[in-house]
Amino acid sequence: MSSHYSIGIFQTEKATEEENWSPMSSAEDAVEEVFDDMGEDTVVTSYFIEIPAPTENLDESFLTWRESDAFPDPPHPADDRKEYDYLLDWWRDYAEYQLDAGQTSSDSNVLLTYDADDIFGRAGAGTNSTFATAGKANWIANFEWDDDSGQSEFQDDSNPYRGTSTVIHEIGHNIIEYMDHEPDCFDDPSGAGHHVMGNASFYEDGGIIGSDDYAGTPMSRSGSYFPCMAEGGENLCGNEVTDDVDEVDASDLRYSDCSQNNIRDPL
């Protein structure tokens, strides 16, 4: 077992064509700051490999050449194609068959895509998967730190914050433990509870947020993901979950205490 978290950042050919390597660089900086805030050792690596993703959309099915040992390189047999439900499934296959040892990281490997219909990401939960995807690389490329506060915080819900927080969110799915005691109303208990760990970052003295209210943190901004966690409910750490985004006074690029208390050991 390693003594530090190992996180890899990748981006698609289109993201590189449109934004050079800026999205990957911004995401690397953000991830490093978040782990520094947790007091956790991490090695974040930007892999300068242009990933030839068949699509930039994260949540649509598509048919493409199968990644396999039998035919690792084109041309493939005409019928050697596979229907993928999500880009995440393809990304996992591509990394397994096309990337050499030392070209991935042990805890999380995030692929940034240029296009997506909305802020969206997808990831495997816990140790079952160390792969993730996140869209809107153009937004991520424009993220800048609030140097005045010296904290990994962006105090509005701007596009750069939303893009970057998605990267942090998907890494969270990779490294936060499965919740085997999640509420029965979750259709998919494998990682669903992660979505209500987020708005539990509380500053009794106001801190840098400037209020005594909850801050929206990367794993979630509200309880609206699941009806059973609507306003008045509690997450798995006993923190109140609000269902009203208007009650969230700031967006904070730090995992909540609830999230941090359930992060697994590095692989």
Side-chain angles (χ1 to χ4, degrees), residues 213-260:
D213 293 333
Y214 290 99
T217 62
M219 292 313 295
S220 175
R221 286 207 55 165
S222 72
S224 60
Y225 283 92
F226 306 102
C228 61
M229 299 300 291
E231 188 170 1
E234 292 184 347
N235 67 15
L236 300 173
C237 298
N239 305 118
E240 182 181 353
V241 176
T242 177
D243 198 36
D244 186 352
V245 233
D246 293 336
E247 293 183 14
V248 180
D249 279 6
S251 299
D252 189 355
L253 273 179
R254 281 181 285 188
Y255 291 121
S256 68
D257 289 343
C258 184
S259 298
Q260 293 183 45

Side-chain angles (χ1 to χ4, degrees), residues 5 106-107 126-127 130 174-177 262-267:
Y5 292 93
S106 57
D107 291 295
T127 53
T130 62
N174 287 161
I175 66 174
I176 294 173
E177 295 280 10
N262 286 281
I263 287 177
R264 62 165 170 76
D265 291 333
L267 296 177

Side-chain angles (χ1 to χ4, degrees), residues 30-56:
V31 174
E32 286 177 343
E33 288 287 341
V34 166
F35 278 80
D36 282 347
D37 282 341
M38 285 197 290
E40 299 285 357
D41 291 335
T42 184
V43 173
V44 185
T45 304
S46 289
Y47 291 94
F48 291 90
I49 307 167
E50 295 184 24
I51 304 299
T55 176
E56 297 291 301

Side-chain angles (χ1 to χ4, degrees), residues 170-191:
E170 301 311 328
I171 292 172
H173 281 309
N174 287 161
I175 66 174
I176 294 173
E177 295 280 10
Y178 277 124
M179 301 283 106
D180 57 6
H181 53 292
E182 295 186 68
D184 293 337
C185 62
F186 289 174
D187 292 333
D188 178 10
S190 59

